[in-house]
Amino acid sequence: MTETSTAPTDVVRRQYLASAARDLNALRATLAPDVEWTEMAGFPLAGTYRTPSGVTSNVMEKLAEEWDDWAAHDDTYVADGENVVVLARYTAVNKATGKPLAVRVAHHFVVRGGLIVRFEQFVDTAKVREAMQS
């Protein structure tokens, strides 16, 4: 993978690397100006966010406020043209309860012109909520 590659899987991988490094500028650089980023219904941050700064301020920064060591571990990539599905895991510890989270997730990305234009999250929201309840 080269830094300048616009191949959909490379763009998505850069997004995960930026997230892991907590580099919000690098993460925003992977997102299209009109990105639609959807967190699943039932997830604490459920909703669709637009613009790169809207995504990082409403998702990544909020996760950092409520969880210690939030990480999305990208395990398996399945690509079909501009569609990239990533089978992954979230791990974290909820700051309020001290409870750990370890849950499988699937992420669907659509990449066009070297940028992520759409994201949809699939996660067992009950497991997330369980870690948030004392």
Side-chain angles (χ1 to χ4, degrees):
M1 175 181 79
T2 64
E3 280 303 307
T4 56
S5 173
T6 59
T9 54
D10 291 343
V11 173
V12 169
R13 179 72 178 139
R14 280 199 301 277
Q15 181 273 148
Y16 281 102
L17 291 171
S19 179
R22 313 262 189 281
D23 185 342
L24 298 184
N25 287 328
L27 195 150
R28 284 189 287 269
T30 66
L31 304 176
D34 60 346
V35 65
E36 289 186 7
W37 187 281
T38 302
E39 298 286 314
M40 188 170 174
F43 190 70
L45 304 173
T48 298
Y49 304 96
R50 291 173 174 81
T51 77
S53 61
V55 170
T56 55
S57 64
N58 289 296
V59 180
M60 289 72 184
E61 291 178 26
K62 298 274 192 236
L63 289 171
E65 289 172 11
E66 298 177 15
W67 300 86
D68 283 323
D69 303 318
W70 182 275
H73 308 272
D74 50 330
D75 297 330
T76 304
Y77 284 67
V78 181
D80 180 18
E82 64 185 17
N83 292 282
V84 179
V85 173
V86 180
L87 304 178
R89 295 172 289 119
Y90 289 154
T91 59
V93 175
N94 185 267
K95 289 182 180 183
T97 66
K99 290 183 180 178
L101 171 69
V103 64
R104 295 289 294 163
V105 299
H107 293 156
H108 175 216
F109 295 87
V110 178
V111 179
R112 287 190 196 119
L115 295 171
I116 297 165
V117 296
R118 196 171 311 122
F119 165 88
E120 188 175 6
Q121 171 202 57
F122 300 90
V123 61
D124 184 344
T125 58
K127 293 278 187 197
V128 178
R129 296 242 176 236
E130 190 177 287
M132 297 176 74
Q133 296 172 345
S134 39

